[in-house]
Amino acid sequence: MLTSITVRGFKSLEQVEVSLGSVNVFIGANGSGKSNLLEALGFVSAVAEGRLDDQALARRGVRTSAPALYRSSFAKTQPAAEIRIETRFDTSDCQLDYTLRLPMAIDERERPWPFTETRLLRDPDSQTVLYERDAGMPGTFAAPVLAEGTANQPIGDAISLRAEVLADYAVFAPNTPTLRGMEADIKQRVPVGLAGGQLAEAVQELLKPKRGKFGDLDLDKLLELLDWVDEIAVVPPSRDLTSASVPTSRSIIRFTDRWMRHDRNQLSAYDASEGALYVLFALVLALHPNSPRLFAIENLDQNMHPRLARATVRLFCELILKAKPQRQALLTTHNPLVLDGLDLRDDRIRLFTVGRNAKGATRIDRVQVGPEMLKAIAGGLALSNLWIMGRLGGVPDLF
């Protein structure tokens, strides 16, 4: 699991260090730097795959910009000389420190961009260095030189972390037209695209109505979230469900509305409540066997009623914590009730406030459960109340 990320010199992240759990929720005002942290991890992911350029970044949901715009550059200070992003992964067999250094004095026309990547592997118990590699050649990774007498298994774990976890990371940002199947997703991934493409196919792979299952989840639990839905199915497009003027994909999600007349109670994703599509999208990433083991979702709560968002996040956390193999999610939100779906007494679920200091640099602070918070909650205040009141931080200074 990714246990920490330290970022220096990237956009508004002049210097931040974050210790992560399994589910990590970041709250803060617009423009505070939440997305910058998710994108910094996208840079490391691209390097882990071996190439750093616009295409590699876009495939991970990173907004592509001119290279000079990626580095920190605050008023009255010199721009950062380099971007440095350090990550640490911990397993039972090894501890891997994986670092990216990106010099910013580069020709913008140069592709791929030059970088230096460092891998330092330690024994988790003795902290003995098993191997260390520092390479500055973009796109090439030589086999590491093993320490004498080192077993191969920890090395294999480190290679697996880089190739199967870090390199597969992506920032998902679904939008309604793509979830409805009306627009193509130009950033396709498996099981769903970064904007929500192929949601119907992913739902079909998880949906087992005869067994009453949606992946490993009881189908009834999904239908409890969507209280107007009696049945979900994935079917070929039909003019009985969609107008001839509406573009459709090869498969569409069909909802049966429990409140409508029997002969008029079936709706396609085009006509159904968009909140249901965002719920399905979040649960697909939590449940599908081909979902990334490390991923981020921007604004998980969008287009959901606050209470639906709270219930969805609560269920999402339960699924991530039970996932095999282990999964890890980074989420951003602006919906206060999302916080009430988080059990912060479980150290694997973590909440962070994101804001700017007097200089304009992003600061990220973990919200800890302490006596003062417990007293406030016992007095009838929820986490959402505390956030809106400004007692957690991460709120804009507005009337």
Side-chain angles (χ1 to χ4, degrees):
M1 185 175 76
L2 177 65
T3 53
S4 70
I5 178 171
T6 302
V7 186
R8 296 182 177 89
F10 181 77
K11 294 189 175 183
S12 66
L13 308 179
E14 183 180 41
Q15 182 166 342
V16 298
E17 181 175 357
V18 183
S19 296
L20 298 170
S22 296
V23 179
N24 308 274
V25 178
F26 297 88
I27 58 174
N30 296 101
S32 57
K34 302 184 297 296
S35 297
N36 292 345
L37 180 70
L38 308 185
E39 293 186 343
L41 188 54
F43 266 70
V44 184
S45 174
V47 169
E49 192 175 49
R51 186 177 181 88
L52 186 59
D53 58 18
D54 289 342
Q55 290 72 31
L57 294 173
R59 200 178 83 80
R60 289 163 172 81
V62 177
R63 296 164 292 183
T64 54
S65 303
L69 297 180
Y70 288 120
R71 64 173 170 171
S72 299
S73 183
F74 299 98
K76 300 180 181 180
T77 62
Q78 290 294 321
E82 70 170 9
I83 292 172
R84 184 183 180 97
I85 307 170
E86 305 168 9
T87 58
R88 169 166 290 180
F89 288 85
D90 285 284
T91 74
S92 58
D93 295 315
C94 68
Q95 181 184 83
L96 173 66
D97 290 344
Y98 194 94
T99 301
L100 160 67
R101 297 198 304 275
L102 178 65
M104 295 314 300
I106 61 176
D107 187 338
E108 292 192 6
R109 296 167 296 178
E110 188 174 6
R111 295 292 189 276
W113 298 329
F115 60 82
T116 297
E117 63 96 19
T118 302
R119 283 174 273 160
L120 181 64
L121 182 65
R122 294 185 180 91
D123 181 278
D125 299 319
S126 67
Q127 291 296 295
T128 301
V129 175
L130 303 179
Y131 78 78
E132 183 174 2
R133 173 165 171 72
D134 194 336
M137 295 186 65
T140 61
F141 294 101
V145 177
L146 307 187
E148 184 177 355
T150 297
N152 286 326
Q153 183 60 41
I155 305 299
D157 287 346
I159 293 172
S160 175
L161 282 173
R162 191 186 84 234
E164 299 176 12
V165 180
L166 184 55
D168 198 35
Y169 167 83
V171 182
F172 292 84
N175 65 68
T176 300
T178 307
L179 289 172
R180 291 196 190 281
M182 300 166 54
E183 293 184 359
D185 194 333
I186 62 174
K187 299 174 184 177
Q188 273 299 348
R189 295 285 296 253
V190 175
V192 287
L194 299 188
Q198 294 187 335
L199 177 64
E201 288 83 354
V203 168
Q204 186 172 34
E205 290 168 354
L206 292 174
L207 192 60
K208 309 296 178 188
K210 291 183 179 179
R211 293 169 45 201
K213 290 287 188 178
F214 185 72
D216 292 332
L217 179 69
D218 288 341
L219 187 55
D220 286 345
K221 288 192 174 183
L222 170 58
L223 297 180
E224 285 175 7
L225 292 177
L226 311 177
D227 58 352
W228 60 273
V229 178
D230 187 52
E231 182 182 86
I232 299 174
V234 178
V235 298
S238 165
R239 292 312 173 197
D240 293 332
L241 292 174
T242 58
S243 167
S245 63
V246 175
T248 59
S249 55
R250 291 174 297 178
S251 299
I252 60 174
I253 301 173
R254 185 187 69 197
F255 298 93
T256 302
D257 192 315
R258 62 190 296 255
W259 301 109
M260 297 173 67
R261 285 176 41 162
H262 178 70
D263 57 342
R264 296 182 183 179
N265 64 348
Q266 293 188 336
L267 304 171
S268 72
Y270 177 76
D271 290 306
S273 161
E274 59 189 348
L277 303 177
Y278 286 91
V279 170
L280 288 174
F281 180 86
L283 297 186
V284 162
L285 284 179
L287 286 165
H288 199 286
N290 294 328
S291 292
R293 290 170 58 186
L294 172 65
F295 62 88
I297 306 178
E298 287 269 32
N299 299 320
L300 173 71
D301 56 276
Q302 63 178 313
N303 294 300
M304 295 185 197
H305 184 278
R307 289 192 176 185
L308 175 60
R310 178 181 61 189
T312 300
V313 168
R314 182 181 293 122
L315 179 57
F316 180 88
C317 290
E318 292 176 6
L319 296 174
I320 291 292
L321 295 183
K322 293 190 298 184
K324 301 292 182 182
Q326 189 177 54
R327 285 188 181 161
Q328 193 171 11
L330 289 75
L331 315 173
T332 67
T333 184
H334 293 107
N335 189 329
L337 257 67
V338 164
L339 276 60
D340 298 339
L342 305 175
D343 183 3
L344 297 187
R345 295 168 298 181
D346 188 327
D347 190 54
R348 297 171 295 175
I349 301 174
R350 301 187 181 186
L351 175 65
F352 301 88
T353 61
V354 184
R356 299 271 196 133
N357 62 21
K359 179 181 177 179
T362 293
R363 60 173 295 168
I364 302 177
D365 299 296
R366 182 181 174 187
V367 175
Q368 299 280 4
V369 177
E372 183 179 348
M373 179 182 292
L374 293 175
K375 181 179 179 181
I377 292 174
L381 292 176
L383 277 175
S384 56
N385 302 130
L386 296 175
W387 182 25
I388 293 173
M389 294 166 63
R391 293 173 64 174
L392 301 181
V395 294
D397 188 17
L398 301 172
F399 291 103

